[in-house]
Amino acid sequence: MGHAADLRQEIEELSTSQIAEVYYAGKDHPRLLPFWFGEGDTPTPDFVKTAAIEAIRADKTYYVDDRGITPLREAIAAYVGRLHGRPLGIDRIQVTASGMSAVMMTMQAVAGPGDNVVYVAPVWPNIVEAVRIVGATPRPLVLDATADGGWRLDLQRLYAACDARTRAIFVASPGNPTGWMLTAAEIAEIIAFCRAKRIWLVVDAVYERLTYGLDRAPSPLDIAGPEDPVISLNSFSKAWAMTGWRLGWIVAPAWVNLNIRKLNQYNTSGAATFVQWAGVAALEQGEPFVAELRARLNRARDLVIQGLSRFPRVRVAAPPGAFYAFFRVDGMRDSMALAKRLVAETGVGLAPGSAFGPEGEGYMRFCYASSEARLSDALARMEPFLR
Ligand SMILES: Cc1ncc(COP(=O)(O)O)c(C=O)c1O
């Protein structure tokens, strides 16, 4: 039977999450070991929880400034300025109700019907769907897989993918699912290209603190001036273990934020007030927690990459950032089928590579932000399937 009225076609054509499909197929396994979502098993630190509880008790429960509360914008500006060695004013900071909301509002601000957004793939699917929701065309620029299981960006192909209707280049760095990240030299080149072509460089930096070897990921904020066409998105989800709190921020030129502020008003009217106070605590007291998380992820990465490398059919390199092993399985052409079989028969829940676009087929994503005992257990259970 037909519907009584129509929706926008772009919305009906949006994908549903393939990760959720595996989750629903496997969530009731009696010995479930879930590594399918982009979050770890570490609870939010106590000092963040306490700050939120105290904020509620102190009646921080009213509407606030639609740019975000001033103490949080000040804390973000101080943090970002420290991290990138370049002081910046709070007029460059917009608080958002999650990294996802920052992605969506940035797309709404820069692109519309007839425009395109070039993005580095494979990538977290929400980014591609956000481009579609605003009516623009997502254009993948697929990273080259290197012989050792890593990834490389071909800048000439990136530039060639841009045309007169390209409004933004979107790069998640470090990337989800690959963990690949931009180098400082690549960033400088891309900014020069974007300046010349009047294209936005949008960098999703939600994993910028989760790096190995380097103290943090190189960022356009290290070199870009306040008027450069650069927008950087961030989130409290990953580095402060706050996925369910829904808090993020945007760093953009001040005049852009005058407009993002309006979008924030009309999309969400802002993050919950007491959650914003929890964000202040995360930034002001969170460095020891972030350091500990990084050390833990370092050990987890070694364990998982070494374990996976022992399977003859697996090709994988240690990612430079984020917390995923995105590994190729030789001879495997249906990652969704493998993900469902793995969880049904072993209880190990992974994300299928196809969830990250057609270029992810043949791969599986394993979020290793978990205890060493659980990771070792998972590797042992997976062995018969990957030998
Ligand atoms: C690349 C990337 N960007 C943004 C986000 C959004 O984070 P949140 O909406 O939880 O702040 C995620 C979460 O997985 C991500 O992987």
Side-chain angles (χ1 to χ4, degrees):
M1 219 173 81
H3 297 292
D6 294 325
L7 296 179
R8 279 173 62 211
Q9 198 179 338
E10 294 95 319
I11 304 308
E12 291 210 59
E13 286 171 358
L14 291 175
S15 320
T16 49
S17 166
Q18 290 193 34
I19 304 178
E21 189 177 330
V22 183
Y23 166 79
Y24 285 112
K27 70 180 177 45
D28 297 324
H29 191 284
R31 291 166 59 234
L32 185 67
L33 288 175
F35 307 100
W36 35 37
F37 296 131
E39 65 185 351
D41 62 357
T42 313
T44 301
D46 277 338
F47 63 88
V48 174
K49 294 180 194 167
T50 303
I53 293 163
E54 282 174 1
I56 292 173
R57 291 225 170 89
D59 293 325
K60 307 286 192 197
T61 55
Y62 292 97
Y63 288 136
V64 288
D65 190 324
D66 51 19
R67 294 167 294 189
I69 58 171
T70 304
L72 180 55
R73 292 169 72 222
E74 285 171 350
I76 294 170
Y79 167 80
V80 172
R82 218 168 40 239
L83 197 62
H84 300 291
R86 289 171 74 97
L88 73 174
I90 66 167
D91 54 353
R92 305 270 317 276
I93 310 293
Q94 170 70 49
V95 175
T96 65
S98 79
M100 182 61 224
S101 182
V103 169
M104 185 61 75
M105 292 193 294
T106 301
M107 295 304 181
Q108 289 170 338
V110 304
D115 298 330
N116 66 70
V117 173
V118 173
Y119 68 96
V120 173
V123 77
W124 188 48
N126 293 32
I127 286 159
V128 184
E129 300 306 298
V131 177
R132 294 205 174 102
I133 288 170
V134 302
T137 305
R139 267 197 194 171
L141 186 281
V142 184
L143 292 168
D144 298 320
T146 60
D148 63 358
W151 302 88
R152 205 185 62 85
L153 176 66
D154 183 333
L155 282 179
Q156 295 317 312
R157 279 203 300 117
L158 176 70
Y159 302 152
C162 298
D163 63 18
R165 297 311 301 263
T166 302
R167 304 302 312 277
I169 294 174
F170 191 106
V171 192
S173 176
N176 169 9
T178 59
W180 161 87
M181 62 192 188
L182 284 166
T183 64
E186 286 165 343
I187 289 170
E189 265 214 48
I190 299 171
I191 291 178
F193 176 83
C194 286
R195 279 186 196 126
K197 302 283 182 187
R198 300 180 62 81
I199 291 175
W200 291 98
L201 170 59
V202 182
V203 170
D204 177 334
V206 309
Y207 298 102
E208 74 177 333
R209 302 298 305 278
L210 308 187
T211 51
Y212 309 89
L214 286 183
D215 191 41
R216 59 167 176 80
S219 161
L221 299 180
D222 300 334
I223 52 173
E227 293 306 322
D228 271 320
V230 166
I231 300 176
S232 173
L233 317 175
N234 223 310
S235 167
F236 287 80
S237 285
K238 314 292 174 174
W240 295 275
M242 292 174 65
T243 49
W245 294 69
R246 319 310 301 134
L247 189 64
W249 74 86
I250 293 174
V251 184
W255 72 270
V256 172
N257 275 345
L258 294 177
N259 293 285
I260 301 266
R261 172 186 190 172
K262 293 182 272 183
L263 289 173
N264 197 52
Q265 177 61 239
Y266 303 131
N267 274 278
T268 62
S269 297
T273 305
F274 47 88
V275 167
Q276 297 193 39
W277 283 98
V280 174
L283 293 177
E284 289 182 347
Q285 303 167 51
E287 282 309 309
F289 176 83
V290 176
E292 203 178 294
L293 177 65
R294 286 164 52 90
R296 187 167 180 257
L297 289 177
N298 226 307
R299 292 191 299 272
R301 181 185 76 145
D302 288 351
L303 193 156
V304 167
I305 298 300
Q306 281 166 19
L308 288 171
S309 305
R310 280 198 283 271
F311 302 145
R313 287 176 62 208
V314 167
R315 248 190 318 126
V316 66
F323 49 30
Y324 306 105
F326 193 57
F327 59 95
R328 190 165 183 82
V329 183
D330 284 341
M332 187 267 290
R333 279 188 194 81
D334 187 346
S335 53
M336 175 59 90
L338 179 59
K340 286 185 174 166
R341 203 170 144 223
L342 257 180
V343 74
E345 296 185 26
T346 71
V348 176
L350 302 188
S354 59
F356 307 94
E359 47 283 341
E361 189 50 279
Y363 290 80
M364 303 294 287
R365 190 192 75 174
F366 184 153
C367 175
Y368 54 71
S370 202
S371 74
E372 293 180 39
R374 297 172 92 200
L375 296 172
S376 299
D377 188 1
L379 287 164
R381 293 195 209 176
M382 285 158 63
E383 201 199 336
F385 291 83
L386 300 173
R387 268 200 302 250

